[in-house]
């Protein structure tokens, strides 16, 4: 049995995990990503066109390649978390977590009563192998990677307290939304944004709970830079972006010849 994503992160100080965002909701591209060797794939239900039904085939394709899947839900709510968790991802990403109270709520959505508010359908959902995995309820909360996204100045001010919330395993800094929040829609991740990011990065890396730090590479702040700054999880790109670049280059090469 391959190690869970959360277990592999314990070794991420040696080598950060490298992942991909999947916005196309294509099981074929998900399967290719798994075979290519990505350490994890984030299925993005916040910005991608798909929802629960479209995410399921992608999860199945990734499972066939033994690649951990993370679901990013559209909003931090009990309803979205419940449906996402029942699909059985190894991680759940909550967007726009601006303060520790929102982080505590996110954690509660992932836990069964009395420790949380997650609805129970474990005897029949995919997460428990449709009830075949009798140990599911004993291990699911321990093995799930809970990720909270810091994407605003308010969140950066509170990032130390967010990282300190029991149950929050990882803080992911969202560079694009943070740039927009700071007023830099057309010039993302400039030096002023990077200064703010470094404040947030340091707060997470110095956290007493040893919370993991995740981030998304940008053209002017690449994956090697994030690796150098101590990130445990690095997202290098987006499937549709990789295909777009390859397609545009292919057409250019043909027409130039």
């Amino acid at each position: 049995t391959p190690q869970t994503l959360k277990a592999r992160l314990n070794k991420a100080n040696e080598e950060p995990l490298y992942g991909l965002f999947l916005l196309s909701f294509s099981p074929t591209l998900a399967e290719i990503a798994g075979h290519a060797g990505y350490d994890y794939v984030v299925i993005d239900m916040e910005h991608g066109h798909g929802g629960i039904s479209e995410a399921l085939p992608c999860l199945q394709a990734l499972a066939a390649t033994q690649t951990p899947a993370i679901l990013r839900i559209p909003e931090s709510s009990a309803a979205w978390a419940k449906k996402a968790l029942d699909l059985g991802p190894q991680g759940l990403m909550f967007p726009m977590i601006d303060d520790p109270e929102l982080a505590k709520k996110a954690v509660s959505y992932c836990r069964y009563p009395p420790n949380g508010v997650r609805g129970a359908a474990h005897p029949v959902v995919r997460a428990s192998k449709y009830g075949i995995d009798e140990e599911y309820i004993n291990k699911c909360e321990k093995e799930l990677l809970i990720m909270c996204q810091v994407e605003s100045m308010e969140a950066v001010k509170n990032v130390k307290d967010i990282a300190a919330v029991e149950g929050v395993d990882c803080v992911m800094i969202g560079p694009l939304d943070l740039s927009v929040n700071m007023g830099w829609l057309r010039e993302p991740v400039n030096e002023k944004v990077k200064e703010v990011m470094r404040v947030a990065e340091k707060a997470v890396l110095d956290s007493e709970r040893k919370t993991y730090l995740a981030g998304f590479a940008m053209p002017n702040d690449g994956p090697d830079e994030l690796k150098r700054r101590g990130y445990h999880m690095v997202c290098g790109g987006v499937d549709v972006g990789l295909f777009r670049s390859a397609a545009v280059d292919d057409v250019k090469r043909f027409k130039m010849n």
Side-chain angles (χ1 to χ4, degrees):
T1 302
Q3 282 188 316
T4 64
L5 178 60
K6 198 168 177 179
R8 291 181 63 195
L9 271 169
N10 289 328
K11 300 178 181 178
N13 283 326
E14 302 169 13
E15 186 69 25
L17 303 185
Y18 191 57
L20 178 77
F21 266 63
L22 192 82
L23 264 73
S24 68
F25 283 80
S26 164
T28 300
L29 293 185
E31 191 175 26
I32 291 171
H35 286 308
Y38 284 104
D39 294 308
Y40 62 93
V41 171
V42 179
I43 301 170
D44 189 356
M45 295 192 293
E46 183 186 14
H47 291 293
H49 67 272
I52 295 295
S53 298
E54 293 79 12
L56 176 58
C58 298
L59 283 162
Q60 292 167 330
L62 289 167
T65 67
Q66 297 188 340
T67 304
I70 297 168
L71 287 179
R72 175 155 79 161
I73 56 179
E75 63 180 14
S76 182
S77 71
W80 271 108
K82 175 172 57 178
K83 292 183 77 67
L85 288 170
D86 284 349
L87 287 184
Q90 290 197 27
L92 203 61
M93 187 183 294
F94 292 88
M96 298 293 182
I97 300 298
D98 287 338
D99 58 55
E101 291 307 312
L102 288 174
K104 289 175 185 176
K105 286 183 179 180
V107 172
S108 76
Y109 302 153
C110 301
R111 293 181 172 173
Y112 292 114
N115 299 316
V117 297
R118 181 182 174 185
H122 51 86
V124 291
V125 295
R126 181 178 184 270
S128 67
K129 297 182 174 63
Y130 306 99
I132 294 171
D133 184 358
E134 296 178 356
E135 289 299 309
Y136 174 74
I137 57 173
N138 296 325
K139 64 185 180 181
C140 61
E141 294 174 8
K142 178 180 168 184
E143 293 183 350
L144 179 70
L145 183 74
I146 298 177
M147 306 176 71
C148 289
Q149 287 196 268
V150 166
E151 304 179 89
S152 69
M153 285 298 294
E154 181 69 18
V156 171
K157 290 176 187 175
N158 294 317
V159 68
K160 182 178 179 181
D161 294 331
I162 292 171
V165 170
E166 192 277 326
V168 172
D169 301 300
C170 181
V171 169
M172 178 158 185
I173 298 174
L176 195 55
D177 274 311
L178 180 58
S179 299
V180 173
N181 186 259
M182 293 177 64
W184 299 98
L185 175 62
R186 291 178 174 80
E187 192 183 344
V189 197
N190 57 38
E191 288 307 313
K192 291 184 179 179
V193 175
K194 286 182 183 179
E195 288 176 13
V196 173
M197 286 177 62
R198 288 189 176 95
V199 171
E201 292 163 5
K202 186 175 187 304
V204 177
L205 292 172
D206 291 346
S207 64
E208 292 183 5
R209 291 190 62 253
K210 303 300 180 186
T211 307
Y212 298 114
L213 176 64
F216 192 90
M218 299 291 287
N220 56 350
D221 197 27
D224 290 338
E225 272 295 300
L226 300 188
K227 179 179 178 180
R228 184 185 61 79
R229 298 207 300 270
Y231 280 72
H232 303 101
M233 300 176 73
V234 175
C235 290
V238 181
D239 62 338
V240 292
L242 293 175
F243 180 78
R244 175 207 62 213
S245 297
V248 169
D249 288 345
D250 184 53
V251 171
K252 282 182 179 177
R253 278 196 302 270
F254 179 81
K255 294 198 173 182
M256 286 176 66
N257 292 330

